[in-house]
Amino acid sequence: MGKGNDLRNDSVLSLVFKLTLPAMLAQLVNVLYGIIDRMFIGHIPLVGNTALAGVGVCGPITTLLSSFGNLVGIGGSVMMATCMGHGDRERAKKILSNSFLLLLVFSVTLTVVLLLNKREMIYLFGGSDATYEFADTYLTIYTLGTFFALLALGLNFFISCQGFSVNAMFTVLIGAVCNIILDAVFVPGLGWGVGGAAFATVISQMLSCLYAVLFLFGKKVGVRISFGNYDLHMMLKIIVMGISPFIILATDSVIIIAVNMILQHYGGAEGDMLISAYTITQSYLLLITGPLFGISGGVQPIISFNYGADQAVRVKNTVKYAAIMAVIFNSIMFIVSQLFADSFVKFFTNDANTAKAAVWGIKVFTLAIVPLALQYVFVDALTALGKVKTALYLSAFRKIAFVVFAFIFANLFSARQSFYTEPVVDVIGGIQSTVVFLLVFGKYLRKSGIHANGPSAAQAS
């Protein structure tokens, strides 16, 4: 299934659409894993609201696990695409081999660490006596499937960076469809509750992992998984290259943890209810940031490949088209968010207070998602060019600012007002990323010795 795209010669605009649209769909479908779990969990008779809060506590932990897949997948695929642009297929093969080993090591290590420390982590990250049982059940089962989750996510980047965007989408689609079906069977059907939702996710990730592994061992791809040629120095370079997107995703977990703790501490009797509302709000935001990451991440192979091939015009046009697409998408989602938030919340809870707080939270969270679009595109573009330190700074600054403002708002006003942190840092981060990118991008290309020669006018546009 699927046909590889020519990253060197195909029209840039055509490539942007061919790679970002499947990536957007794949990310959206990937987001649905957690959202669908929460929808079924929120409607469990009698305990749905408490169970939803418990799973909400697990959210940042599962996101943290996924970020390690992105660490290796993005870092390795950017390096591999650059080598393919240079025509160095042997080095590209070595990068994939070392990335595969890194994914195996991370998956085993994280599984052991989480299983040994899950009780402390649940309470530390905002759990309470009322929600612990549900959080423990979900996290234990999910952690046992870490191996499949990391491999499915990490290896999919190596499918995409070789131009097989449809196959990369199919990797995620397999798991998502399976997850929807199994959620319906396990949760309301068999009455397995939170455990059923977790089992549905693990089985689905197992199928996605199997497809990704078989595809990268197959004959369709130019660079296949191999064994040997392991190099510690190369592994460290892969980690360094992927550290910026890792920080973005990992610190998303830190932010959720911090806000959960703030809501529990300052929310008083409303603590668990506010965490449930925040869980729903975060679930909705993922419907925006997931596809947005599909745009910014989807164009990374084009940027990295053409950077390696010394095609400056194609690099610049790729970034331009990605930024336009991201701004249009987020503008549409801003309107949808302000008008139809209540329709989304109904899928999660029947509790009037939780629903009201969640609808308000969604409208507040999405006030400044348009400038957020620029930050995603520009930070990932800098990563694709190997400008890791700059990308890392932009990512880390936003996260630190988020935690600081959330704490300030909760102290000066109330726990609920900490929701306003999201639009504040979206504006700050968007402006800062745009200014830094405009100052650095052209200078960085000139310093690297890239010249706008080679592609025809059609290819460059």
Side-chain angles (χ1 to χ4, degrees), residues 72-84 95 157-158 161 241-242 245 297 300-301 303-305 307 380-386 388:
V72 178
I74 294 177
S77 65
V78 165
M79 289 174 59
M80 191 169 102
T82 303
C83 287
M84 292 170 66
I95 290 169
F157 286 101
F158 296 95
C161 82
M241 186 63 70
Q300 280 188 322
I303 296 171
S304 297
F305 185 97
Y307 175 60
D380 281 357
L382 289 169
T383 301
L385 291 168
V388 178

Side-chain angles (χ1 to χ4, degrees), residues 31-41 176 179-180 183 348:
V31 165
L32 290 177
Y33 273 112
I35 290 179
I36 291 169
D37 280 351
R38 292 168 184 178
M39 286 180 178
F40 280 105
I41 289 167
N179 192 50
I180 294 171
D183 264 332
F348 287 85

Side-chain angles (χ1 to χ4, degrees), residues 126-426:
S128 65
D129 291 339
T131 60
Y132 175 78
E133 177 186 351
F134 301 105
D136 180 60
T137 299
Y138 188 89
L139 186 60
T140 300
I141 297 170
Y142 187 95
T143 301
L144 292 173
T146 299
F147 177 87
F148 305 110
L150 258 65
L151 259 67
L153 179 61
L155 292 179
N156 210 31
F157 286 101
F158 296 95
I159 296 175
S160 179
C161 82
Q162 298 189 62
F164 293 94
S165 53
V166 175
N167 298 90
M169 178 186 68
F170 194 65
T171 303
V172 180
L173 199 60
I174 292 172
V177 172
C178 178
N179 192 50
I180 294 171
I181 295 171
L182 293 180
D183 264 332
V185 172
F186 291 165
V187 183
L190 298 177
W192 288 2
V194 169
F199 273 121
T201 299
V202 170
I203 294 171
S204 302
Q205 290 170 338
M206 190 184 303
L207 293 176
S208 292
C209 174
L210 181 63
Y211 177 81
V213 170
L214 289 178
F215 188 83
L216 283 172
F217 271 114
K219 295 181 179 180
K220 285 187 177 181
V221 290
V223 179
R224 298 194 291 268
I225 294 176
S226 61
F227 300 98
N229 290 319
Y230 300 126
D231 184 336
L232 182 59
H233 179 68
M234 176 172 283
M235 292 181 194
L236 291 175
K237 286 191 67 175
I238 291 169
I239 292 172
V240 169
M241 186 63 70
I243 198 68
S244 179
F246 171 79
I247 291 293
I248 293 175
L249 292 168
T251 50
D252 278 345
S253 299
V254 174
I255 286 174
I256 296 172
I257 292 165
V259 174
N260 281 344
M261 294 171 66
I262 289 170
L263 294 176
Q264 192 66 260
H265 181 75
Y266 292 98
E270 287 189 326
D272 285 341
M273 184 278 289
L274 288 175
I275 289 177
S276 294
Y278 183 64
T279 300
I280 296 171
T281 302
Q282 277 291 337
S283 297
Y284 181 84
L285 190 64
L286 289 173
L287 293 177
I288 300 171
T289 58
L292 185 59
F293 183 71
I295 295 174
S296 62
V299 297
Q300 280 188 322
I302 310 173
I303 296 171
S304 297
F305 185 97
N306 285 285
Y307 175 60
D310 293 342
Q311 303 295 333
V313 172
R314 290 174 66 83
V315 172
K316 293 177 181 178
N317 284 340
T318 301
V319 177
K320 178 181 71 175
Y321 294 139
I324 293 172
M325 182 180 292
V327 168
I328 292 173
F329 172 74
N330 274 27
S331 298
I332 293 171
M333 290 306 297
F334 168 77
I335 297 171
V336 171
S337 305
Q338 299 302 313
L339 295 179
F340 304 109
D342 55 336
S343 300
F344 178 81
V345 172
K346 289 177 182 177
F347 287 106
F348 287 85
T349 182
N350 296 319
D351 181 78
N353 289 331
T354 304
K356 184 178 179 180
V359 170
W360 171 81
I362 289 172
K363 291 181 178 180
V364 169
F365 256 53
T366 55
L367 285 173
I369 56 173
V370 174
L372 177 66
L374 297 176
Q375 180 170 15
Y376 266 70
V377 172
F378 292 152
V379 169
D380 281 357
L382 289 169
T383 301
L385 291 168
K387 196 68 174 174
V388 178
K389 291 181 179 179
T390 305
L392 180 57
Y393 161 75
L394 293 172
S395 302
F397 180 88
R398 181 182 184 276
K399 307 304 181 179
I400 294 171
F402 194 107
V403 174
V404 171
F405 277 111
F407 182 76
I408 291 173
F409 287 172
N411 269 277
L412 294 181
F413 305 107
S414 68
R416 284 175 179 257
Q417 302 311 307
S418 62
F419 280 53
Y420 279 102
T421 300
E422 180 70 31
V424 169
V425 297
D426 285 350

Side-chain angles (χ1 to χ4, degrees), residues 57-71:
V57 171
C58 297
I61 303 174
T62 58
T63 301
L64 181 61
L65 288 175
S66 299
S67 64
F68 281 90
N70 284 280
L71 169 67

